Amino acid sequence: MSDIVEKTLTALPGLFLQNQQAGGPAATKASFSSKLGGLVRGITALTSKHEEEKLIQQELNSLKATVSAPTTTLKMMKECMVRLIYCEMLGYDASFGYIHAIKLAQQGNLLEKRVGYLAVSLFLHENHELLLLLVNTVVKDLQSTNLVEVCMALTIVSQIFPREMIPAVLPLIEDKLQHSKEIIRRKAVLALYKFHLIAPNQVQHIHIKFRKALCDRDVGVMAASLHIYLRMIKENSSGYKDLTGSFVTILKQVVGGKLPVDFNYHSVPAPWLQIQLLRILGLLGKDDQRTSELMYDVLDESLRRAELNHNVTYAILFECVHTVYSIYPKSELLEKAAKCIGKFVLSPKINLKYLGLKALTYVIQQDPTLALQHQMTIIECLDHPDPIIKRETLELLYRITNAQNVTVIVQKMLEYLHQSKEEYIIVNLVGKIAELAEKYAPDNAWFIQTMNAVFSVGGDVMHPDIPNNFLRLLAEGFDDETEDQQLRLYAVQSYLTLLDMENAFYPQRFLQVMSWVLGEYSYLLEKETPEDVITRLYKLLMNDSISSETKAWLFAAVTKLTPQAHSSNLVERLIQEFTISLDTCMRQHAFELKYLHENVELMKSLLPIDKSCEEMMVDASLSFLDGFVAEGLSQGAAPYKPHHQRQEEKLSQEKVLNFEPYGLSFSSSGFTGRQSPAGISLGSDVSGNSAETGLKETNSLKLEGIKKLWGKEGYLPKKESKIGDEMETPPVPQENVTVENVDQVVTKRDQSQILTQSKEEKEKQLLASSLFVGLGSEGTINLLGKADTVSHKFRRKSKGKEAKSEETTSAQSVTCSSFSSLSKVACEEDDYLNTLQEREEKELEKFSLSSQLLDSESLTELPLVEKLPDCSQPAPSLFADNNMEIFHPPPSTAASVAKGISLASLLEETTEYMHSNLMDVCNNEAVSVSSYKIWKDDCLLMVWSVASKSGLELKSANLEIFPAENFKITEQLGCCFPVMEAESTKNFQYSIQLEKPFTEGNISGFISYQMMDTHSVQLEFSVNLSLLDFIRPLKISTEDFGKLWLSFANDVKQNIKTSESQAALPSALKMLQQKLRLHVIDIIGNEGLLACQLLPSIPCLLHCRVQTDVLALWFRSSCSALPDYLSYQCQKVMEGS
């Protein structure tokens, strides 16, 4: 291998200097080759790592002196860069050459720029501060007429480019989509794909150009665009249903071999392109029959043409099977896919067998009978010598586990766990076994023994949630109090038996679990006294192999048992030994036990029996220290600074580049880092939270995405679990496959064959009947979890009867406002927002909008009286006067007037809410369909009206809306807004609620109607929706704004140039409030505070500042996509005005 590396790197100079003339350049080439080749040969000849480090350090010192010398030419610099690249590849720091790589990319001929760009792409990362120096070079090269320079610039943009500099090159890259050379167009598409990955909202306005790239005459450009579409369809498949036909046509051409031969791989036409298209079709056809019908033929053709003769065709077949089981099912395709899986599973090749098991694991939720068809093969795979096959087989068994086969499957998992030495496998399997044990445990003894095996094998590498959840399950108990006591008693007896074993070694976490259980529930023992338990714990405390953390758990258990013990001799000896311990933590525990032991009555009141789950009132603000703090401040002590403020001050003292424009720095407002723009002085309960540290605190822990376990109301997951049971989705019904079916399959075999079976085969049959029992309605399978109808063995009960209703209400509000997993709002913030809504009326009176800056039309009232660009307020009713005589039109004109009357009356009744203009959705020669939007406080209301053009009566009309991925659509059967329906007009009202943030979305469906004496007719329609339709004002106070600002981690800053009419802050705020439904909270000097929320309850805060002709905006939210979207909308509003 070293010879290949040496030859490769020795050949590099020939690539760089191939166009040089003979003579002097040849001598330089030879010199360079000898230097690089000598370095490679010298390293490969070394025998130790120490010698390699010494040699590389000498080389780096030589290179550092060379690149720093003023006499170094660009040609020499290029050669030095190649050697620096090799040193970095070996893992040594060559940071002194980074700036020289950028300089080399900025100047020199094509070969030198090429090496400079290559070095930059290998040396730097996307967030490196030196990349800012490369932006102008990239812009210049993108504007070059030399194709090589343009290609180099597009390549570096698609690899590493700072996110905040995307607007500088985006217009240039858009222009390259129209370039005459296909390689330029292809690289431009890949650069836009990179932008879509890191900043999707900045390229959402050029989606139409992506469609042109999909139809490009060059196959490479089309293939590059598939990466973008696969990403966008994963996020929102409903918005690209209309492209299904295009993808199907492309796949037909690929499968039919109509692409150039250059795209073939081992005579297989464009295999990776086929795989990409199959994945896209699988996403588009999921739960959509009409879309799936378009792709049945091409999937059938793909399964037929992909013959099992090469590895790449196996990959195509695997994706075909995956797609067939993802889309709306068709029986013929399912049969062919099942046969394909069978060929994979039965193949003697390990790779194919693995693919078969992988596919079987995926499709088992749709067709559990497949596992029954291959049950003997699966049994054989359990004893396969390849560990990957065994692991995938266990994953398959994990998917089909139910209450009837859990003991056999868990036993197989434990056997594999005892044999495995890889940490990743141990962590993964331990989590699965713990989940199955809690869900399907047949009895208490089996559950405790299984968890003991999990703790023993998993040791200290298992996830900490496993022992924590186990202890919480024991503490909270179940619906039956008697069963609670039996489980706890068996756990205590089991742990005492384990501690009595000689020379037994247990992991630290297992000992911690034992100590907690013995400390809490040893009182249940009848034959053992507390002194006996303390004696066992004392032996563990004296063991030198026990860690300090585990000894703290043991000491806590002894402290709990001390009030129950009659004799205190052992406790006093323990106190004497550990009060002189060198371990500070243990010494502190010993002194605490000493002083508590002196007052037994106080100790009993502080440590009651079986009270671990009782609620405790905690003063999170530490108000009892207010007097001490006030006294310290009066004596000249320094005020407390939050952690994030100290970190920002530390970073500001370091020498770093400042990317903020002069004159627009937010620090001039008197705050730094994550401090509130409102300048609020916060208490210790807010500022001391470690989760509030800023994004720039690189030296602190990153807590984004970490689930919060403790909040203001106590232990949070406990509350979520209560409504988790209530909101659990019903299982997907599966085909019933009972135990009798399995027995019948066996009995139908020839009896003579059964008699001649070996003993080993009979054992396999017996194992199969145990493993695959219960596959059917009693044990439905779910890929993402085990949602079945079998009741859990351990169903946790509510903790406090008195607090039950309050906790349920709080948990529901947390669940609703958490907005699935995309909104990273901590539970504390949700509770806080709920509190804000309760006291909304009180806080509105405290708003401090400057009366001098705001006119009589207060900005706080604008959301009810202003309108969007495409919105209109209802006009006064034409029929307000009851004494007015109304002219009745003749029958010939009744149809045309009926529509106007109906819609006018509908708009008249909706004066309370803002609404859009009337939009024509679809029409034909007989009817016209129109709709408009009503922006209610809690949802978006869509109203459709079907009106007859000919004057004929509408006999019937029905509206059907297709399911949309990001929306929850509900028909308003009882009309929310009264309408005047004529005989020739029908109206429909639907409420639309947002379930998942999206970039682009639409609602599609069809309207079926029937006129008098005619047949039924269908009209399809589609209505586009934007995220702005679900944004509402958030009315909070300035103080609440400051607290929320500190708790949000996702922020976006943007500077927008303004005209003279927009230079005044009130006019800018008024415009943003009118167009985007933002609520103006306060105006402080030349700064303004605004807030809004994305339905149902994802808040977004905006701090804006006007200086000369620039409006500086700073957004913060708990949802990462919301600030980017609002920033883009603000820019459109300010530029459009």
Side-chain angles (χ1 to χ4, degrees), residues 798-810:
S798 302
K799 275 202 309 184
K801 294 183 179 180
E802 299 179 357
K804 182 176 182 179
S805 61
E806 296 180 7
E807 292 180 355
T808 304
T809 303
S810 173

Side-chain angles (χ1 to χ4, degrees), residues 1052-1063:
V1052 171
K1053 298 179 183 179
Q1054 185 171 8
N1055 297 328
I1056 302 175
K1057 290 186 177 181
T1058 58
S1059 60
E1060 295 181 359
S1061 60
Q1062 301 170 344

